[in-house]
Amino acid sequence: GVFVINQDITAHKHAAQLLERQNQELSELSSAEGKQRQLAEGLLQSMLSLNASLELREVLVSVLEQIQRSIPFDLANIILIENNSLRVVHHLNLTGDPEKLDAAEKSYIMEDFPFVSQICKTQRVVLVEDTSRAPGQQQAIPGMAWLRSYLSVPLVVGERVIGLINLTSQQPDAYNQETSRRLMAFAAPAAMAVENARLFAAELQARRLAETLNAASQALSQTLNFETVMNTLLEYVCQLVPADRAYIVISEDETNLSLLAMHGYDHEV
């Protein structure tokens, strides 16, 4: 004889699908928690590193190194805003192509880059996921016409935008709202560290100026010899304004000049 057993497996299928979905959600939740933990650890390490130095160059290097551990990029730079100019003060190139560094250590006029003015006014992130879908954005960041996607966040101190952090990629859709939030989290301590370093540098410069002027005053008061006074004066001027060569001349009349002192030449007066 033949035995036929019919069993409804619909409930089993639903249970299996539910279990699979729950496992997927658990996996995504675990991944999200891992990313948040990594971000929190990165922010803590970033703040510790940024507060470890008041030297501007060391601070700038540390900023991009800390960001690199959390957010991928091909090339990143930090731009500081000084009056109406933009100056690329540090960059990190991971492309291996030196031609992509033509923007390094250069200055630009802010009017040539409207998106910077936009950031200064709104103090908000500029995110372009794909430049091919955003006409006119290929040259939004100085010297980076080759990029396909970029993310730019302001460095804000009080109510002022003192600079920008730019991340760029040769791949479209490299950045999204999540990466923009993560970069903004890094930007806050970075802005304060950069500002502290700049203030420290300005204070050092002012102190050095005062000390040099005081030393020059004392040295000049030690003699009445005109030639010695001119040479001493030029020596201290070169300390205040570094120069390879310098000289002092006075006008004897409308057509003749008299050389009084010089510095950095083979035969000095």
Side-chain angles (χ1 to χ4, degrees):
V2 177
F3 292 93
V4 178
I5 300 176
N6 293 323
Q7 183 178 9
D8 187 0
I9 63 172
T10 302
H12 292 286
K13 285 184 177 181
H14 284 313
Q17 291 173 353
L18 178 61
L19 180 60
E20 182 179 357
R21 185 164 59 250
Q22 289 176 338
N23 287 336
Q24 179 66 25
E25 292 175 352
L26 182 61
S27 176
E28 292 176 355
L29 179 61
S30 177
S31 176
E33 290 178 347
K35 290 180 179 179
Q36 288 298 320
R37 183 169 58 252
Q38 182 183 15
L39 176 60
E41 293 172 351
L43 286 172
L44 177 60
Q45 182 62 40
S46 176
M47 287 186 287
L48 292 174
S49 298
L50 292 175
N51 290 327
S53 175
L54 285 173
E55 292 293 334
L56 182 59
R57 174 58 60 179
E58 294 179 6
V59 169
L60 296 173
V61 170
S62 181
V63 167
L64 293 189
E65 286 181 347
Q66 296 302 323
I67 292 174
Q68 182 187 5
R69 296 178 181 178
S70 178
I71 305 174
F73 57 79
D74 289 329
L75 193 149
N77 68 23
I78 299 175
I79 293 176
L80 294 184
I81 299 174
E82 300 170 345
N83 298 321
N84 195 39
S85 67
L86 312 174
R87 185 163 62 94
V88 181
V89 293
H90 184 55
H91 65 270
L92 184 56
N93 178 23
L94 303 180
T95 67
D97 185 354
E99 293 184 359
K100 290 184 170 56
L101 291 181
D102 60 346
E105 309 298 333
K106 290 184 178 181
S107 295
Y108 302 86
I109 300 175
M110 187 157 60
E111 295 175 355
D112 294 338
F113 300 93
F115 96 105
V116 177
S117 298
Q118 174 187 344
I119 291 180
C120 291
K121 290 178 181 178
T122 65
Q123 298 187 4
R124 300 182 64 180
V125 174
V126 170
L127 167 64
V128 175
E129 297 178 355
D130 188 347
T131 56
S132 67
R133 300 197 298 265
Q137 294 294 333
Q138 285 83 353
Q139 185 58 16
I141 296 179
M144 297 187 182
W146 50 269
L147 61 87
R148 285 296 305 276
S149 58
Y150 72 83
L151 179 60
S152 182
V153 303
L155 295 172
V156 182
V157 175
E159 298 297 323
R160 296 183 300 115
V161 175
I162 65 169
L164 310 171
I165 298 176
N166 298 311
L167 304 187
T168 67
S169 175
Q170 299 174 91
Q171 302 299 321
D173 301 311
Y175 307 115
N176 52 36
Q177 294 298 329
E178 172 61 25
T179 48
S180 69
R181 285 191 291 269
R182 294 167 72 184
L183 186 56
M184 279 297 294
F186 279 102
M192 188 58 63
V194 169
E195 183 68 359
N196 287 340
R198 294 174 73 180
L199 293 174
F200 179 70
E203 181 182 348
L204 283 181
Q205 184 178 5
R207 184 185 308 169
R208 188 176 298 116
L209 174 61
E211 292 173 349
T212 302
L213 290 175
N214 182 60
S217 177
Q218 293 183 14
L220 291 172
S221 66
Q222 299 300 313
T223 180
L224 294 177
N225 182 276
F226 187 69
E227 181 179 332
T228 303
V229 168
M230 288 297 101
N231 281 286
T232 301
L233 177 61
L234 187 59
E235 176 186 347
Y236 282 100
V237 167
C238 290
Q239 291 183 30
L240 295 174
V241 185
D244 294 329
R245 295 180 178 181
Y247 56 87
I248 299 176
V249 297
I250 62 171
S251 174
E252 296 285 357
D253 51 45
E254 293 183 356
T255 58
N256 296 311
L257 297 175
S258 177
L259 178 64
L260 300 180
M262 60 184 183
H263 170 80
Y265 293 87
D266 292 338
H267 302 287
E268 297 189 359
V269 174

